[in-house]
């Protein structure tokens, strides 16, 4: 499996370059705030609404930045990716826009709505049984001669640079943001956001947020080496990655100031608060930034920033999960 050409490791310039590549193709998502939430936290919070991005998540940005840079020949041959979540939809949608054939390898127990969404963008979905087969083997079998370009979900310079463009837009419009919170799964979003934020305002503190149940990046951050965890059963399905990548980890170690973890109860509370007070639908992974501030509040930690940026990473939640979360009692 060969990833697309790697010319440079990501830095602030490659993120600016990704922003140019995405101009006219990505949705320039809005930034929202709520007086009620500001009063609760005791700071001005600015939410970057990537739930409003194409396919309902920031992953469109990285996928577009990687796929649109393939050569004509590579585009004609097609691309392949594996994912059961937002990366699958992002690759499928970008390929539909650029008229490229996409093959997505998905576990046969993936939620039916995710499979249908991916197919609705014209991708070919190949199922495998995760109990008996590995997605790497299936992908290699389909791509025997390496004719297809493999698009990884996070550990690639073009993906990281693309993901960083959401924070670049937020920070560019609001350079006074002194703390930026981003969720962390494989670390593509967090590493890109950190490069973007520090490039705009070197004093901005960047914090990565994970569910307590999926704290591999937090462990890795503190131990100085990549830690792999068992499959984590968190409601925040966008962060169920078992470990960060070598490229994302190198950037996180250098540019991220802190990692925080949040409970499942606080993730659901953040989804409710965003629903009632921002009137936005977010998936649990997209609510991690606010959940971290709520945890700080419960712990009695002083708010150490006047203006706080939050990457609200996605909004792909099914109605059943949303209604279950909304039916639970509020904490605040
Ligand atoms: C993929 C994803 C994440 C995590 O991003 P990484 O780059 O894997 O760290 C967070 N939120 C949502 C909605 C996602 O789809």
């Amino acid at each position: 499996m060969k990833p697309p050409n790697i010319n440079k490791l990501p830095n602030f310039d490659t993120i600016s370059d990704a922003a140019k590549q995405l101009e006219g193709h990505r949705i320039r998502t809005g930034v929202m705030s709520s007086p009620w939430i500001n009063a609760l936290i005791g700071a001005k919070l600015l939410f970057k609404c990537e739930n409003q991005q194409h396919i309902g998540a920031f992953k469109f940005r990285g996928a577009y930045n990687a796929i649109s840079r393939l050569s004509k020949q590579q585009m004609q041959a097609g691309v392949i990716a594996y994912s059961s979540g937002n990366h699958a939809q992002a690759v499928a949608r970008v390929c539909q826009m650029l008229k490229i054939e996409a093959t997505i390898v998905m576990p046969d127990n993936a939620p039916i709505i995710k499979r249908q969404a991916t197919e609705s963008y014209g991708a070919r979905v190949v199922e495998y049984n995760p109990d008996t087969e590995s997605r790497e083997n299936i992908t290699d079998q389909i791509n025997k001669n390496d004719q297809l370009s493999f698009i990884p979900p996070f550990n690639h310079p073009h993906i990281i640079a693309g993901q960083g463009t959401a924070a670049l837009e937020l920070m560019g419009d609001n350079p006074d943001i002194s703390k930026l919170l981003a969720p962390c799964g494989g670390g593509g979003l967090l590493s890109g956001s950190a490069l973007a934020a520090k490039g705009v305002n070197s004093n901005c503190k960047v914090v990565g947020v994970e569910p307590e149940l999926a704290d591999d990046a937090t462990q890795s951050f503190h131990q100085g080496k990549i830690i792999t965890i068992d499959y984590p059963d968190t409601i925040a399905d966008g962060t169920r990655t078992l470990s960060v990548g070598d490229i994302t980890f190198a950037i996180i170690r250098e540019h991220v100031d802190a990692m925080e973890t949040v409970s499942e109860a606080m993730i659901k509370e953040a989804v409710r608060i965003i629903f009632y007070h921002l009137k936005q639908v977010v998936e649990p992974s997209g609510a991690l930034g606010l959940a971290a501030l709520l945890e700080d509040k419960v712990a009695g930690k002083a708010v150490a920033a006047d203006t706080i940026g939050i990457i609200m990473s996605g909004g792909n939640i099914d109605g059943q999960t949303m209604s279950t979360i909304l039916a639970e009692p509020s904490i605040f």
Side-chain angles (χ1 to χ4, degrees):
M1 280 185 308
K2 279 201 214 91
N5 313 332
I6 299 176
N7 300 319
K8 320 178 203 167
L9 286 186
N11 53 42
F12 186 70
D13 290 340
T14 53
I15 294 177
S16 305
D17 196 41
K20 284 197 200 111
Q21 187 82 3
L22 281 158
E23 190 59 48
H25 304 287
R26 58 87 175 91
I27 293 171
R28 199 184 205 289
T29 54
V31 175
M32 296 185 76
S33 64
S34 145
W36 189 93
I37 301 176
N38 291 351
L40 178 71
I41 302 296
K44 183 175 163 198
L45 272 53
L46 297 176
F47 292 85
K48 177 70 170 165
C49 296
E50 285 297 297
N51 56 321
Q52 300 170 357
Q53 190 50 260
H54 291 299
I55 72 109
F58 71 92
K59 288 225 170 57
F60 177 85
R61 295 173 180 269
Y64 190 90
N65 191 46
I67 296 169
S68 66
R69 288 174 194 272
L70 295 174
S71 70
K72 252 205 183 117
Q73 265 173 327
Q74 288 172 315
M75 287 193 189
Q76 267 160 11
V79 310
I80 187 164
Y82 49 66
S83 162
S84 56
N86 291 334
H87 180 62
Q89 293 181 55
V91 169
R93 179 69 182 111
V94 169
C95 285
Q96 183 182 46
M97 283 176 159
L98 299 175
K99 303 190 168 50
I100 297 170
E101 262 178 47
T103 303
I104 310 288
V105 178
M106 266 193 186
D108 58 14
N109 60 1
I112 189 88
I113 56 160
K114 297 219 161 140
R115 191 198 153 121
Q116 282 171 348
T118 306
E119 283 174 337
S120 78
Y121 300 126
R124 175 168 78 115
V125 173
V126 176
E127 288 193 331
Y128 71 99
N129 177 346
D131 297 330
T132 58
E133 297 167 303
S134 93
R135 59 189 190 177
E136 288 83 1
N137 283 345
I138 299 289
T139 306
D140 282 345
Q141 267 170 36
I142 298 169
N143 198 17
K144 268 193 214 96
N145 312 318
D146 277 341
Q147 73 279 25
L148 306 177
S149 296
F150 173 67
I151 309 296
F154 50 83
N155 200 41
H156 187 284
H158 293 158
I159 299 285
I160 294 167
Q163 318 303 37
T165 60
L168 185 65
E169 289 169 13
L170 175 63
M171 295 293 303
D173 291 347
N174 306 279
D176 58 327
I177 288 175
S178 51
K179 182 174 175 179
L180 180 71
L181 295 143
C184 182
L189 179 65
L190 177 58
S191 56
S193 300
L195 289 170
K198 300 279 178 181
V200 174
N201 173 1
S202 59
N203 292 323
C204 179
K205 296 267 173 284
V206 178
V207 179
V209 186
E210 286 186 306
E212 276 166 21
L213 294 180
D215 67 343
D216 60 283
T218 305
Q219 288 188 46
S220 305
F221 187 77
H222 291 132
Q223 296 186 33
K225 58 173 189 208
I226 296 176
I227 303 291
T228 302
I229 54 170
D230 291 336
Y231 180 80
D233 196 13
T234 169
I235 193 168
D237 54 348
T239 65
R240 282 187 197 141
T241 325
L242 306 186
S243 73
V244 293
D246 55 350
I247 305 175
T248 55
F249 186 54
I251 299 168
I252 289 169
R253 282 189 81 177
E254 197 177 330
H255 298 285
V256 170
D257 297 281
M259 293 292 304
E260 287 189 29
T261 59
V262 295
S263 68
E264 298 292 294
M266 210 58 94
I267 296 170
K268 292 189 258 181
E269 175 69 358
V271 169
R272 279 190 293 271
I273 288 178
I274 290 165
F275 179 82
Y276 287 121
H277 297 282
L278 287 181
K279 320 297 176 192
Q280 294 293 302
V281 172
V282 284
E283 59 185 278
S285 304
L288 287 177
L290 178 58
L293 296 174
L294 297 173
E295 294 276 13
D296 288 350
K297 185 179 167 61
V298 170
K301 273 198 215 162
V303 180
D306 297 334
T307 307
I308 302 176
I310 293 180
I311 306 292
M312 213 154 72
S313 54
N316 292 325
I317 184 169
D318 61 88
Q320 179 81 57
T321 307
M322 190 60 164
S323 56
T324 306
I325 292 174
L326 291 178
E328 289 177 13
S330 292
I331 300 172
F332 294 100

